[in-house]
Amino acid sequence: MGIGPDMSFLRKLSVAIGTGILMLASTAQAAGYVNDRQQWLSMSPQAKAAYAQGMNDSQNFIYADDTLAEAMVKRGRTKCLLDLKTGADTIAENITFMYKNNDYMNLPPSAMYIITMAKICKVYIDIERSNFGLGPS
């Protein structure tokens, strides 16, 4: 063995350090999402409304590979929101209200959106389902 450093060791060390940096970066990115009640409640009303709008848009977009049942739920929620003139600020307030229940404290806002909208828009969802021969939700 020569006097210089073991190049194999240095390569392994370099790979290990690089992997560690990538793992830390991915952890930091995941931390940017709102994952529970504590994170939701720490947001400003404007941030909550913006987050709710994003959830609403993504949760109600009908994809080509959605089942008929999924599409009818999305269609029912959309009609419900339009008929009730419900804005993102109201959706955010409803999610905040639902988070008062400790059973939901660890659920992400996306789950809270689905739970909230299922309660508010049940009649609309059931009408859309029945229009296509599906039973109530």
Side-chain angles (χ1 to χ4, degrees):
M1 185 174 248
I3 298 176
D6 179 3
M7 294 309 284
S8 173
F9 170 77
L10 289 177
R11 273 190 231 109
K12 289 178 184 176
L13 180 62
S14 174
V15 169
I17 290 171
T19 302
I21 290 170
L22 287 174
M23 289 173 60
L24 287 173
S26 66
T27 302
Q29 289 175 339
Y33 291 100
V34 181
N35 298 311
D36 59 24
R37 175 174 71 184
Q38 180 182 355
Q39 291 172 330
W40 176 262
L41 294 178
S42 71
M43 294 170 34
S44 70
Q46 296 82 6
K48 289 176 188 169
Y51 203 94
Q53 183 65 55
M55 282 189 300
N56 183 69
D57 291 346
S58 66
Q59 295 287 345
N60 291 326
F61 185 83
I62 298 175
Y63 295 94
D65 63 346
D66 280 348
T67 65
L68 177 61
E70 290 168 336
M72 292 306 97
V73 168
K74 293 175 178 184
R75 188 171 162 158
R77 282 195 302 245
T78 300
K79 284 189 175 185
C80 171
L81 290 167
L82 291 171
D83 284 357
L84 299 179
K85 297 178 179 24
T86 304
D89 56 335
T90 303
I91 294 170
E93 289 168 5
N94 289 336
I95 291 170
T96 300
F97 178 78
M98 290 290 291
Y99 267 134
K100 290 181 181 182
N101 183 335
N102 286 333
D103 292 340
Y104 299 137
M105 66 188 287
N106 293 318
L107 293 179
S110 57
M112 300 305 293
Y113 173 84
I114 296 297
I115 293 167
T116 300
M117 297 309 294
K119 290 180 180 192
I120 294 170
C121 297
K122 181 172 179 17
V123 171
Y124 287 86
I125 293 167
D126 288 346
I127 288 170
E128 291 303 314
R129 289 176 56 85
S130 71
N131 287 342
F132 282 85
L134 300 171
S137 57

